[in-house]
Amino acid sequence: MIKHAKVQNADYFKTYLTLIMEHREYTLQEAVDFMVESYFCNNIELYGLKPKQQFEIAIQQLSV
Protein backbone atom coordinates (compact mmCIF):
# COMPACT_ATOMS: atom_id res chain seq x y z
CA MET A 1 0.00 0.00 0.00
CA ILE A 2 1.21 3.49 -0.84
CA LYS A 3 1.49 6.00 1.99
CA HIS A 4 0.67 9.59 1.06
CA ALA A 5 2.10 12.22 3.38
CA LYS A 6 0.56 15.12 1.48
CA VAL A 7 -2.26 15.68 -0.95
CA GLN A 8 -1.18 15.18 -4.53
CA ASN A 9 -2.23 17.96 -6.89
CA ALA A 10 -3.88 17.74 -10.30
CA ASP A 11 -0.53 18.13 -12.09
CA TYR A 12 0.79 15.07 -10.29
CA PHE A 13 -2.22 13.02 -11.37
CA LYS A 14 -2.03 14.34 -14.95
CA THR A 15 1.60 13.27 -15.17
CA TYR A 16 0.82 9.87 -13.65
CA LEU A 17 -2.10 9.28 -16.04
CA THR A 18 -0.07 10.43 -19.05
CA LEU A 19 2.74 8.04 -18.19
CA ILE A 20 0.28 5.17 -17.86
CA MET A 21 -1.30 6.02 -21.21
CA GLU A 22 2.05 6.23 -22.97
CA HIS A 23 3.69 3.22 -21.33
CA ARG A 24 0.72 0.86 -21.54
CA GLU A 25 -0.83 2.40 -24.66
CA TYR A 26 -4.07 2.97 -22.74
CA THR A 27 -6.89 5.37 -23.49
CA LEU A 28 -7.61 7.96 -20.85
CA GLN A 29 -10.48 5.86 -19.49
CA GLU A 30 -8.30 2.76 -19.31
CA ALA A 31 -5.62 4.76 -17.47
CA VAL A 32 -8.22 6.13 -15.05
CA ASP A 33 -9.54 2.63 -14.38
CA PHE A 34 -6.00 1.32 -13.87
CA MET A 35 -5.15 4.13 -11.47
CA VAL A 36 -8.36 3.75 -9.48
CA GLU A 37 -7.52 0.08 -9.05
CA SER A 38 -3.79 0.36 -8.36
CA TYR A 39 -3.38 3.76 -6.70
CA PHE A 40 -6.71 4.15 -4.93
CA CYS A 41 -7.21 0.41 -4.24
CA ASN A 42 -10.65 0.57 -5.91
CA ASN A 43 -11.77 3.24 -3.43
CA ILE A 44 -11.56 6.72 -4.96
CA GLU A 45 -12.03 8.27 -1.50
CA LEU A 46 -9.34 6.13 0.15
CA TYR A 47 -7.08 9.12 0.80
CA GLY A 48 -9.83 11.65 1.43
CA LEU A 49 -11.79 14.24 -0.49
CA LYS A 50 -8.91 16.46 -1.66
CA PRO A 51 -6.99 13.77 -3.58
CA LYS A 52 -10.27 12.64 -5.17
CA GLN A 53 -11.01 16.21 -6.28
CA GLN A 54 -7.50 16.70 -7.65
CA PHE A 55 -7.72 13.39 -9.52
CA GLU A 56 -11.04 14.43 -11.06
CA ILE A 57 -9.60 17.80 -12.08
CA ALA A 58 -6.69 16.02 -13.78
CA ILE A 59 -9.07 13.75 -15.67
CA GLN A 60 -11.14 16.74 -16.79
CA GLN A 61 -8.04 18.62 -17.96
CA LEU A 62 -6.75 15.63 -19.91
CA SER A 63 -10.10 15.03 -21.59
CA VAL A 64 -10.26 18.42 -23.34
Side-chain angles (χ1 to χ4, degrees):
M1 187 159 145
I2 301 171
K3 298 276 184 180
H4 300 279
K6 65 177 186 160
V7 174
Q8 305 300 344
N9 63 26
D11 286 336
Y12 170 86
F13 288 120
K14 281 173 32 181
T15 300
Y16 199 117
L17 287 165
T18 300
L19 288 171
I20 293 169
M21 288 187 292
E22 290 175 1
H23 179 71
R24 295 180 176 260
E25 297 181 0
Y26 280 178
T27 64
L28 176 57
Q29 186 57 56
E30 289 170 327
V32 168
D33 293 344
F34 176 83
M35 197 162 170
V36 167
E37 182 181 328
S38 63
Y39 184 91
F40 291 103
C41 302
N42 288 317
N43 179 0
I44 193 73
E45 295 182 356
L46 179 65
Y47 302 112
L49 184 59
K50 287 287 186 186
K52 175 188 174 201
Q53 290 172 333
Q54 292 299 304
F55 184 58
E56 290 170 345
I57 290 169
I59 295 165
Q60 182 181 27
Q61 290 176 351
L62 285 171
S63 65
V64 282

